């Protein structure tokens, strides 16, 4: 019920302000949504990467926060497809594992920020704001 | 008929006897009586009678008739008297005549036992010799019987050439004379009889083999026969009976104490006792070695039973006694053998016994060494020490003295002169010193025919053995054979015993026997050490059981009771608690023995001290657990991604939720519905993180890793896959499962089974790493094996296992990896085997490796699964 309430709130906003979240861990997914909501940002959650890739083809998505290690599909793969499907969508990577190779690949694939879980909420929100061309938090 | 008439009738005869007066007749009677009494035998007495009657009374012929042997006929005796008339013709006829009772004059007298008077034989119808009588002119005849008691012993007859009527007086006179003759004959016969009996007795006493001694009441010797003189070394010495033992050398069977005189058989028989079979040892100057006599005595009494003295008969039983002693000596030696006396003592006794059987005999026994080539001293108590020492250790051979040769040839060797015999060439000087000249040796053989030694006889005389010496040799070799063979057997047994007990002690083995009936027990020395019993403490079954650890005592007692009840076997592995608290691990095995009737006799068994083994087992167990633990820790290291990821997720969620909550609060627009949800999620995530940590900790903890429970392997596999999901993800591999939902449950330690699965999965991940992502596949499957065990298979599509020996991967330190310890699979195998399972590895038909293990279904589970 609570989840739906947040979604309802965000759905009232324009697509341009909505941040997409892709993580196969529901708990993590919900917590990031709440963090972004606490900064007044609207969020659309995706538990499965493929569902996001379908969505992004039909909607304008300014920013996606993307997990790397997911059962169905790696975040890097999603990132690679995203370049073709929606080149305007910016991507922020969150990963559970510090891996320079993965980080390098992600940056090369166009990711604008790379966070290792757990991350600093301030830095994360600033990165999101930056990606959305909003004012950073003081 | 009157005296006068006789005188008248004799008148005119050529000899003047008619006036024979009464006095003359009395004189005749007296002189005849005296002469007859002096006569030496019947014949001369008869002759005297015939002569004197004829001379004194004028009768012309006197003849005697005696019954033949069977007393059917009277025959003419050799004695007769004739006066001046020529009566030879009649005598000749008489000598040819014989008469039946009642026939003729003698026959009539014989039959009637009365005198018969015939006035004229020419007229008498019962006188067969009438013709001869007429021819010489004989007329009157008188026959007189000579009676002994009621029996006619002779008939005398007298003839006259004149016819004369019966003269009663004359007849009476002659009858009186005849009666004298009868007395004389009787007396003489008795004397002759006595004399003959005496002669026989004397001859018997002189020649009999027994000593006979007769003494009167005063102890005066009446008879002391030659054998008695020989036996007692002297003729009869008259002395008081209390000196007899001393003077004649009479001893009790101990050969030392003089025989008490009042107990001597002769003394006792004089006292009126009957004495039977009293043995006396006799030793005197003429018999210095002594002799044995067996004496019987009887009292002597007259017809009225009055005691007159005593008689003893003594038989020389020396040979019997010697044989008896010899046999007793043999028995003593055999008893020594039976009572396990030292061999040297037995053989010495045997040699001394043999030497005692013959004068001047010396003997020795030599033993053949076990090498069968040299001799050892056995016994030679009467050979010089120098000789004994020289022979000890000498070799045997075909020319090695009597003994060495006898042992070598297995045949008796008789050397009658050691000074010349070639066999003695090497030993002559020794023999000379020792004064030995003849030596006969016989090999001593065991019942199996094995040469054990030799028995030798030595003599100073140069001669061969006599039959009695050959007999001694036969007995001696027989007994020595028994003694030596027995010792050999005992030595063999002792050696075997020693070997067994050495083996038992080396192996920490205890032998024991429990006698349930008697409630006693026996235990070997080593057993007493193992059980901590004093060497003298009497043992019982309960005492043995009391040493068992209290936790196991009841079970051991029950197992023991079961074995006794079923007469079966007893097997148990348990701990013993010794005094002062020391603990031993032992394995005990026992078996019931029955008697011939099938009743329980005893329980025999062994106890093996396995403490050392057990300790090393425990040590090994600890090491194994240590290694397993290290392996699990190492696994954790390999699973860093998963661990980090699994922890990171909930921690990230918590952190984000917390940050969000703070921001909502700072902004002051808190959604009253959101905050509790948020906090609840935080709690849930922290629990989730806790679970992860608990899981990791369970995996790396040391304790409880071996605690078993009933598991469903499918669930364990799912849990394990969750644990490694991140690693699988990072490897970009795919793990698929094919679970058998009828898989039987197993009894196992979950941590260890997870460890097995983790090892196998991590190995598979390594194996597929080099493959293109699409081929990085791992298949985990389970299946039930008839419901009796559960099989798990982990299969990859990698490069596979060593072709020659896929199972080699389970060996220690086998590793294809650069980083691994090479212990993982070894630990995996040990875990599976500890669970009673089995693990194998093989190359799959197409490619890749397949590991599969199975574990037995938990007890009670196989049926439910099979149903």
């Amino acid at each position: 019920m609570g989840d739906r309430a947040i979604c309802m709130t965000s759905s009232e906003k324009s697509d341009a302000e909505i941040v997409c979240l892709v993580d196969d861990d529901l708990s993590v997914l919900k917590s990031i949504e709440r963090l972004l909501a606490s900064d007044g940002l609207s969020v659309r959650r995706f538990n499965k990467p493929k569902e996001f890739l379908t969505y992004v083809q039909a909607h304008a998505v300014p920013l996606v926060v993307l997990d790397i290690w997911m059962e169905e599909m790696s975040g890097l793969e999603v990132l690679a497809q995203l370049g073709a499907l929606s080149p305007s969508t910016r991507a922020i990577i969150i990963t559970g594992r510090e891996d320079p190779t993965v980080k390098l690949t992600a940056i090369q694939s166009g990711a604008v920020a790379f966070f290792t879980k757990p991350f600093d909420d301030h830095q994360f929100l600033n990165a999101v704001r930056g990606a959305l061309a909003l004012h950073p938090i003081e | 008929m009157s005296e006068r008439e006789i005188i008248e009738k004799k008148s005119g005869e050529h000899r003047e006897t008619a006036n024979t007066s009464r006095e003359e007749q009395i004189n005749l009677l007296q002189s005849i009586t005296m002469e007859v009494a002096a006569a030496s035998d019947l014949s001369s007495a008869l002759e005297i009678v015939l002569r004197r009657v004829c001379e004194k009374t004028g009768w012309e012929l006197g003849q005697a008739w005696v019954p033949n042997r069977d007393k059917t006929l009277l025959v003419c005796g050799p004695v007769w008297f004739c006066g001046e008339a020529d009566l030879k013709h009649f005598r000749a006829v008489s000598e040819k005549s014989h008469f039946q009772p009642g026939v003729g004059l003698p026959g009539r007298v014989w039959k009637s036992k009365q005198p018969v008077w015939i006035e004229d034989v020419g007229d008498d119808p019962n006188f067969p010799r009438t013709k001869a009588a007429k021819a010489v002119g004989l007329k009157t005849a008188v026959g007189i019987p000579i009676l002994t008691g009621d029996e006619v012993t002779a008939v005398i007859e007298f003839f006259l050439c004149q016819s004369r009527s019966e003269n009663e007086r004359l007849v009476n006179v002659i009858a009186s004379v005849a009666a004298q003759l009868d007395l004389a004959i009787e007396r003489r016969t008795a004397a002759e009889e006595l004399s003959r009996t005496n002669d026989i007795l004397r001859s018997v006493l002189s020649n009999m083999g027994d000593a006979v001694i007769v003494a009167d009441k005063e102890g005066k010797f009446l008879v002391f026969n030659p054998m008695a003189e020989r036996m007692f070394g002297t003729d009869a010495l008259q002395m008081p009976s209390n000196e007899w033992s001393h003077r004649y050398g009479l001893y009790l069977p101990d050969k030392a104490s003089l025989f008490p005189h009042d107990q001597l058989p002769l003394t006792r028989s004089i006292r009126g006792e009957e004495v039977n079979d009293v043995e006396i040892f006799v030793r005197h100057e003429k018999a210095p070695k002594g002799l044995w006599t067996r004496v019987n005595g009887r009292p002597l009494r007259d017809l009225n039973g009055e005691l007159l003295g005593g008689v003893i008969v003594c038989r020389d039983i020396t040979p019997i006694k010697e044989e008896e002693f010899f046999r007793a000596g043999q028995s003593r030696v055999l008893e020594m053998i039976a009572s396990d006396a030292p061999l040297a003592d037995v053989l010495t006794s045997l040699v001394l016994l043999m030497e005692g059987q013959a004068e001047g005999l010396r003997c020795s026994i030599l033993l053949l060494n076990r090498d069968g080539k040299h001799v050892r001293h056995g016994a030679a108590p009467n050979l010089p020490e120098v000789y004994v020492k020289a022979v000890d250790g000498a070799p045997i051979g075909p020319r090695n003295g009597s003994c060495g040769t006898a042992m070598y040839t297995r045949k008796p060797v008789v050397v009658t002169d050691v000074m010349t015999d070639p066999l003695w060439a090497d030993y002559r000087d020794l023999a000379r010193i020792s004064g030995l000249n003849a030596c006969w040796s016989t090999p001593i053989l065991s019942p199996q025919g094995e040469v054990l030694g030799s028995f030798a006889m030595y003599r100073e005389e140069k001669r061969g053995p006599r039959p009695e010496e050959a007999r001694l040799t036969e007995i001696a070799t027989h007994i020595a054979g028994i003694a030596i063979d027995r010792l050999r057997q005992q030595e063999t047994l002792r050696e075997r015993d020693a070997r067994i007990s050495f083996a038992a002690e080396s192996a920490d083995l205890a032998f024991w026997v429990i006698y349930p009936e008697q409630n006693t027990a026996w235990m070997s020395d080593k057993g007493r050490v193992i059980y901590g019993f004093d060497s003298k403490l009497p043992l019982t079954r309960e005492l043995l059981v009391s040493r068992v650890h209290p936790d196991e005592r009841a079970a051991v007692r029950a197992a023991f009771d079961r074995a006794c009840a079923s007469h079966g076997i007893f097997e148990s592995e348990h701990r013993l608690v010794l005094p002062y608290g020391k603990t031993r691990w032992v394995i005990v095995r026992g078996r019931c023995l029955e008697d011939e009737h099938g009743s329980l006799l005893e329980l025999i068994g062994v106890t093996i001290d396995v403490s050392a083994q057990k300790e090393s087992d425990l040590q090994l167990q600890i090491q194994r657990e240590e290694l397993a633990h290290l392996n699990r820790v190492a696994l954790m290291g390999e699973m860093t991604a998963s661990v980090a990821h699994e922890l990171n997720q909930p921690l990230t969620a918590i952190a984000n939720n917390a940050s969000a909550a703070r921001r909502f609060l700072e902004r002051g627009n808190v959604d009253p519905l959101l905050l509790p949800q948020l906090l609840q999620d935080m709690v849930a995530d922290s629990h989730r993180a806790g679970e992860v940590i608990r899981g990791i900790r369970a995996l790396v903890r040391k304790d409880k890793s071996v605690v078993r429970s009933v598991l469903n392997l499918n669930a364990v596999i799912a849990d394990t896959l969750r644990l490694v999901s991140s690693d699988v993800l990072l490897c970009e591999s795919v793990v698929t499962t094919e679970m058998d939902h009828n898989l039987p449950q197993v009894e196992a330690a979950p941590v260890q089974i997870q460890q097995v699965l983790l090892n196998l999965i991590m190995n598979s991940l390594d194996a597929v790493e080099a493959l293109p992502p699409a081929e990085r596949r791992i298949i985990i499957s389970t299946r039930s094996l008839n419901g009796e065990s559960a099989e798990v298979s982990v299969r990859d599509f990698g490069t596979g296992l060593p072709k020659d020996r896929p199972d080699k991967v389970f060996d220690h330190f086998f590793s294809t990896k650069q980083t691994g310890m090479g212990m993982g699979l070894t630990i995996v195998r040990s875990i599976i085997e500890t669970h009673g399972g089995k693990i194998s590895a093989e190359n799959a038909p197409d490619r890749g490796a397949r590991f599969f293990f199975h574990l037995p279904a938990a007890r009670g589970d196989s049926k439910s699964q099979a149903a």
Side-chain angles (χ1 to χ4, degrees):
Chain A
M1 291 285 280
D3 294 352
R4 189 157 296 270
I6 296 171
C7 287
M8 293 281 280
T9 317
S10 52
S11 67
E12 283 161 17
K13 311 216 169 177
S14 72
D15 281 356
E17 291 167 348
I18 291 172
V19 177
C20 283
L21 275 179
V22 183
D23 196 318
D24 61 350
D25 188 316
L26 191 60
S27 178
V28 175
L29 197 60
K30 275 158 64 181
S31 70
I32 295 172
E33 181 190 11
R34 285 182 189 131
L35 185 60
L36 292 173
S38 71
D39 200 29
L41 296 169
S42 300
V43 171
R44 181 168 285 275
R45 303 180 327 209
F46 295 93
N47 202 208
K48 294 187 158 103
K50 280 179 182 166
E51 284 174 11
F52 166 71
L53 286 177
T54 311
Y55 177 82
V56 83
Q57 290 173 45
H59 301 81
V61 178
L63 176 64
V64 62
V65 176
L66 188 59
D67 186 24
I68 292 288
W69 303 107
M70 290 176 292
E71 296 245 6
E72 195 178 44
M73 183 186 280
S74 147
L76 290 178
E77 240 180 292
V78 176
L79 195 59
Q81 289 190 31
L82 195 62
L85 295 174
S86 172
S88 63
T89 304
R90 293 180 173 182
I92 291 175
I93 303 296
I94 50 170
T95 179
R97 193 180 179 201
E98 187 94 41
D99 189 333
T101 318
V102 172
K103 190 173 180 178
L104 186 65
T105 313
I107 302 238
Q108 280 170 349
S109 305
V112 294
F114 193 96
F115 289 94
T116 306
K117 297 177 200 174
F119 43 77
D120 181 75
D121 60 330
H122 195 76
Q123 284 178 9
F124 177 69
L125 288 174
N126 272 341
V128 170
R129 279 170 178 269
L132 292 173
L134 300 171
H135 299 294
I137 309 160
E138 288 86 50
Chain B
M1 194 159 54
S2 66
E3 191 183 334
R4 184 168 294 273
E5 282 171 327
I6 295 172
I7 293 165
E8 283 169 0
K9 278 173 186 171
K10 280 190 64 109
S11 61
E13 287 182 14
H14 57 274
R15 182 172 287 268
E16 188 50 63
T17 56
N19 288 329
T20 304
S21 67
R22 185 182 176 86
E23 285 70 31
E24 281 174 324
Q25 286 180 3
I26 290 168
N27 284 343
L28 167 67
L29 198 56
Q30 280 180 339
S31 69
I32 288 177
T33 302
M34 282 167 66
E35 281 187 85
V36 162
S40 60
D41 55 22
L42 180 61
S43 297
S44 48
L46 279 173
E47 193 191 341
I48 289 164
V49 171
L50 295 175
R51 175 189 297 276
R52 289 297 174 228
V53 168
C54 289
E55 281 174 358
K56 298 289 182 186
T57 61
W59 290 69
E60 275 130 326
L61 176 66
Q63 292 192 123
W65 296 84
V66 292
N68 66 356
R69 194 171 293 250
D70 51 5
K71 293 175 181 172
T72 52
L73 292 172
L74 277 179
V75 295
C76 189
V79 186
W80 61 293
F81 181 81
C82 184
E84 287 162 10
D86 183 11
L87 299 173
K88 280 176 188 156
H89 177 64
F90 184 75
R91 170 66 193 173
V93 171
S94 291
E95 280 176 0
K96 286 174 189 154
S97 300
H98 41 75
F99 299 100
Q100 291 175 336
V103 177
L105 176 62
R108 273 184 274 175
V109 175
W110 189 20
K111 190 178 178 185
S112 66
K113 299 178 184 172
Q114 297 290 328
V116 173
W117 186 281
I118 301 171
E119 272 193 29
D120 185 349
V121 294
D123 297 342
D124 196 283
N126 188 4
F127 194 84
R129 292 171 288 171
T130 302
K131 195 179 165 189
K134 279 182 177 167
V136 293
L138 292 175
K139 295 268 186 187
T140 305
V142 63
I144 309 285
I146 296 173
L147 290 159
T148 303
D150 197 34
E151 196 179 345
V152 177
T153 49
V155 173
I156 49 177
E157 58 178 3
F158 297 95
F159 293 93
L160 197 61
C161 289
Q162 295 160 348
S163 177
R164 193 177 287 179
S165 61
E166 183 172 344
N167 180 340
E168 199 177 335
R169 182 174 289 183
L170 183 64
V171 170
N172 282 342
V173 168
I174 297 172
S176 299
V177 170
Q180 289 298 315
L181 182 62
D182 167 44
L183 283 175
I185 290 167
E186 262 186 66
R187 204 164 45 243
R188 181 57 61 190
T189 309
E192 277 173 6
E193 201 69 33
L194 190 63
S195 160
R196 199 162 59 246
T197 306
N198 276 340
D199 287 348
I200 291 168
L201 271 176
R202 197 168 297 116
S203 165
V204 167
L205 287 171
S206 302
N207 295 305
M208 75 189 297
D210 294 344
V212 177
I213 299 172
V214 181
D216 64 14
K217 274 198 291 187
E218 280 69 46
K220 183 169 172 253
F221 294 123
L222 303 177
V223 174
F224 205 92
N225 77 342
M227 188 60 199
E229 290 175 12
R230 208 174 317 147
M231 188 179 282
F232 299 104
T234 173
D235 50 7
L237 302 167
Q238 301 300 349
M239 70 187 85
S241 65
N242 60 12
E243 288 178 28
W244 286 347
S245 291
H246 176 66
R247 293 291 296 275
Y248 289 104
L250 311 179
Y251 295 89
L252 288 170
D254 67 2
K255 297 187 177 182
S257 320
L258 279 175
F259 212 105
H261 78 275
D262 58 337
Q263 289 304 311
L264 283 169
L266 186 55
T267 319
R268 287 171 59 192
S269 62
I270 290 171
R271 277 205 301 266
E273 295 175 35
E274 288 200 355
V275 182
N276 293 310
D277 294 336
V278 172
E279 288 184 359
I280 299 178
F281 181 69
V282 184
R283 184 171 51 219
H284 46 73
E285 278 179 4
K286 289 177 186 163
K289 281 180 70 185
L291 55 89
W292 286 89
T293 178
R294 181 179 296 146
V295 185
N296 286 281
R298 293 289 182 275
L300 276 184
R301 295 176 194 277
D302 66 10
L303 291 174
N304 302 320
E306 195 70 32
L307 201 57
L308 300 175
V311 56
I312 56 169
V313 178
C314 315
R315 172 156 296 181
D316 185 349
I317 55 164
T318 308
I320 298 170
K321 284 302 262 194
E322 276 174 357
E323 184 62 23
E324 211 173 89
F325 289 136
F326 183 44
R327 282 183 195 283
Q330 292 174 42
S331 297
R332 264 198 312 282
V333 174
L334 289 171
E335 276 165 26
M336 285 176 81
I337 296 171
S339 61
D340 293 331
L343 184 65
D345 295 357
V346 172
L347 297 183
T348 302
S349 298
L350 182 61
V351 165
L352 289 173
L353 177 67
M354 294 302 155
E355 289 177 341
Q357 302 308 308
E359 204 69 42
L361 180 67
R362 283 187 279 176
C363 304
S364 76
I365 292 174
L366 287 174
L367 306 174
L368 184 60
N369 241 344
R370 287 241 170 149
D371 66 5
K373 289 175 182 159
H374 296 85
V375 301
R376 258 188 309 137
H377 168 64
N382 288 310
L383 290 184
E385 202 179 339
V386 58
Y387 182 86
V388 169
K389 279 190 174 161
V391 171
D392 193 15
I396 67 167
R399 296 165 72 86
N400 293 53
S402 299
C403 296
T405 310
M407 282 187 249
Y408 183 81
T409 59
R410 307 168 56 88
K411 288 194 178 86
V413 172
V414 173
V415 172
T416 51
D417 185 357
V418 299
M419 294 306 153
T420 56
D421 197 293
L423 295 185
W424 277 75
D426 295 344
Y427 300 96
R428 253 192 265 293
D429 291 339
L430 266 175
R432 191 173 294 119
I433 296 167
S434 311
L436 308 170
N437 282 313
C439 175
W440 326 309
S441 183
T442 304
I444 299 166
L445 302 176
S446 75
Q448 290 76 35
E450 186 191 355
V451 178
L452 301 172
S454 65
F455 174 78
M457 288 184 163
Y458 302 85
R459 298 209 70 103
E460 285 177 28
E461 315 96 273
K462 295 176 182 174
R463 64 168 173 86
R466 293 183 177 141
E468 66 268 22
E469 286 159 338
R471 174 173 165 260
L472 292 180
T473 298
E474 200 176 300
I475 294 166
T477 51
H478 181 66
I479 294 177
I482 294 171
I484 302 167
D485 187 53
R486 185 179 163 94
L487 184 79
R488 287 252 177 123
Q489 284 180 10
Q490 281 174 342
E491 275 173 1
T492 308
L493 273 180
R494 261 201 295 279
E495 280 166 21
R496 193 181 305 156
D497 274 359
R499 277 200 294 272
I500 288 173
S501 59
F502 177 70
E505 284 181 21
S506 312
D508 284 338
L509 264 179
F511 293 109
W512 48 260
V513 185
I514 293 171
Y515 306 98
E517 281 295 310
Q518 296 84 348
N519 190 31
T520 57
W522 170 88
M523 190 171 257
S524 64
D525 291 347
K526 182 70 189 179
R528 285 175 178 268
V529 172
I530 290 177
Y531 278 77
F533 290 126
D534 184 82
S535 62
K536 292 198 178 70
L537 183 73
L539 297 179
T540 63
R541 172 201 142 168
E542 266 317 299
L543 208 53
L544 260 60
V545 174
S546 73
R547 284 284 194 261
V548 178
H549 192 283
D551 292 354
E552 292 146 0
R553 202 174 291 156
V556 168
R557 194 176 282 133
F560 180 87
D561 287 341
R562 269 198 307 280
C564 285
S566 65
H567 294 196
I569 59 167
F570 172 84
E571 250 185 51
S572 168
E573 180 169 350
H574 53 256
R575 280 168 295 172
L576 300 179
V577 181
L578 276 53
Y580 313 112
K582 186 174 162 60
T583 303
R584 283 185 201 279
W585 273 99
V586 293
I587 293 176
V588 180
R589 292 208 179 96
R591 175 185 295 279
C592 287
L593 294 185
E594 299 173 344
D595 65 12
E596 66 268 32
H597 309 298
S599 22
L600 180 60
L601 210 58
E602 59 192 40
L603 185 69
I604 64 162
V606 291
T607 295
I608 309 160
D609 184 353
V610 292
S611 303
Q613 192 187 329
K614 203 75 186 176
E615 210 160 286
S616 73
D617 278 359
L618 282 175
Q619 205 63 42
L620 204 66
Q621 173 80 16
I622 290 167
Q623 282 174 5
R624 200 178 293 135
E625 277 169 25
E626 200 72 41
L627 273 177
H629 176 249
L630 282 175
N631 169 252
R632 289 197 296 273
V633 172
L635 278 175
M636 288 298 113
E638 287 179 45
M639 288 159 51
T640 44
S642 295
V643 173
H645 193 248
E646 287 299 308
L647 270 179
N648 260 344
Q649 298 293 73
L651 289 177
T652 303
I654 290 165
N656 291 344
N657 279 325
S659 298
R662 183 171 46 86
R663 283 173 188 280
F664 281 128
L665 289 170
E666 278 171 4
R667 282 168 52 175
N669 62 339
V670 183
D671 181 344
L673 288 173
L674 182 66
L675 204 56
Q677 281 181 9
L678 186 146
L679 289 169
Q680 198 181 330
D681 283 356
M682 284 173 72
V683 170
D685 275 325
S686 66
H687 279 307
R688 185 179 149 199
E691 278 307 313
V692 173
I693 289 168
R694 244 194 303 284
I696 291 165
R697 234 178 50 195
L699 210 53
V700 296
R701 261 173 73 165
K702 283 187 178 177
D703 59 335
K704 304 229 173 139
S705 67
V706 294
V707 176
R708 297 186 183 187
S709 55
V710 176
L711 302 175
N712 181 340
L713 285 176
N714 290 341
V716 179
I717 290 166
D719 288 347
T720 310
L721 279 177
R722 244 196 311 284
L723 212 56
V724 293
S725 59
S726 301
D727 288 271
V728 173
L729 213 58
L730 281 170
C731 283
E732 296 177 79
S733 310
V734 178
V735 177
T736 48
T737 55
E738 297 165 4
M739 303 295 199
D740 179 349
H741 297 292
N742 289 322
L743 197 66
Q745 292 192 303
V746 297
E747 193 174 343
V751 173
Q752 292 188 331
I753 299 303
Q754 252 183 1
Q755 183 176 0
V756 167
L757 289 165
L758 282 174
N759 271 293
L760 295 179
I761 292 166
M762 298 307 281
N763 268 354
S764 298
L765 285 177
D766 285 341
V768 297
E769 201 172 18
L771 302 176
E775 294 171 19
R776 295 177 191 163
R777 285 193 297 134
I778 295 167
I779 302 168
I780 299 178
S781 58
T782 59
R783 66 180 177 127
S784 162
L785 299 177
N786 300 323
E788 285 168 8
S789 54
E791 188 188 74
V792 177
S793 152
V794 178
R795 188 239 147 123
D796 64 52
F797 292 82
T799 49
L801 303 167
K803 294 277 183 294
D804 52 339
R805 262 193 57 202
D807 271 357
K808 209 166 126 188
V809 292
F810 294 111
D811 292 350
H812 286 281
F813 310 119
F814 177 85
S815 180
T816 54
K817 292 183 276 184
Q818 297 296 315
T819 53
M821 291 194 302
M823 291 297 291
L825 287 175
T826 308
I827 290 161
V828 163
R829 182 172 63 179
S830 129
I831 289 171
I832 295 298
E833 285 174 356
T834 313
H835 282 78
K838 195 165 163 43
I839 185 163
S840 313
E842 61 181 25
N843 283 313
D846 40 0
R847 67 184 166 120
R850 191 170 90 95
F851 289 84
F852 52 104
F853 65 86
H854 52 85
L855 294 174
R859 221 169 283 168
D861 197 65
S862 60
K863 271 183 190 163
S864 67
Q865 291 298 324

